[in-house]
Amino acid sequence: TIQWLTRFGDNDLTTLQDSLVSVAFKARGHNIDSVLTSYATHPKYMGTGTLKPVDRIENPDDYDHVRVMYANVNARIVELSENIIVYKVEFDEYSGGAHPSYAAQFINYDPRNNRTLAFDQIFRPESADSLLSFVKEKLCRQYYVESIDKLAEVSGIFVDQIFVSHNVFFSPQGLTFYYNPYDI
């Protein structure tokens, strides 16, 4: 499902729409109708073998090549103002195993300048060390610990693998660095 903006004042939303198609469906140069149709009619399968729909299996021995799987994409607006439009694009899929997988990616769109704000447009390259220190400090505060060593003990976070997520979004509270499951 996609919340598809077609009009926002007098703004040209082409850049935002192209970003949505690119992030949600890893496609370019298509309109939303053709992308959704393609997604629904050509499902993505995980693994290296050829999978067959269950109703097309004639030989019971072929059931080893069947995997029940689902994949969903949901893009919705989480912040809307005259200064910023923020989309959260959520992905979840199941291809066997203990549980489905989940991830989200954010799109920050500046309607006044008709541009999507990438991480490197928000932060200067020389700010990497400061940002990493900031993220570590905020994680310690979130888990009520005073040091990064204590963070490892109480959170399950691999502190030696903490990085500055480029998956960020704006909200009235400020800027959030978003980490998907298993990122850290």
Side-chain angles (χ1 to χ4, degrees), residues 19 85 90 116 118 121 131 179:
S19 296
I85 300 171
E90 301 168 297
T116 301
Q121 293 168 314
L131 288 172
Y179 294 86

Side-chain angles (χ1 to χ4, degrees), residues 1 6 8 14 20 25 40 44 58 69-70 81 86-87 106 110 123 151 160-161 170 178:
T1 59
T6 56
F8 189 76
T14 305
L20 272 170
F25 301 104
K44 176 179 87 169
E58 298 165 10
M69 180 181 160
Y70 69 80
S81 74
V86 179
Y87 267 88
F106 291 87
D110 173 359
F123 296 104
L151 179 65
D160 59 326
Q161 296 177 16
F170 291 98
Y178 187 86

Side-chain angles (χ1 to χ4, degrees), residues 2 9 11-12 37 43 50 56 78 84 86 93 105 142 178:
I2 304 289
N11 298 357
D12 177 6
T37 300
T50 302
R56 293 193 185 159
V78 293
I84 193 83
V86 179
E93 60 184 42
Q105 186 172 339
Q142 181 177 339
Y178 187 86

Side-chain angles (χ1 to χ4, degrees), residues 101-121:
S101 62
Y102 170 84
Q105 186 172 339
F106 291 87
I107 299 171
N108 298 287
Y109 177 74
D110 173 359
R112 290 184 174 177
N113 296 301
N114 188 33
R115 66 182 183 146
T116 301
L117 299 173
F119 184 87
D120 58 354
Q121 293 168 314

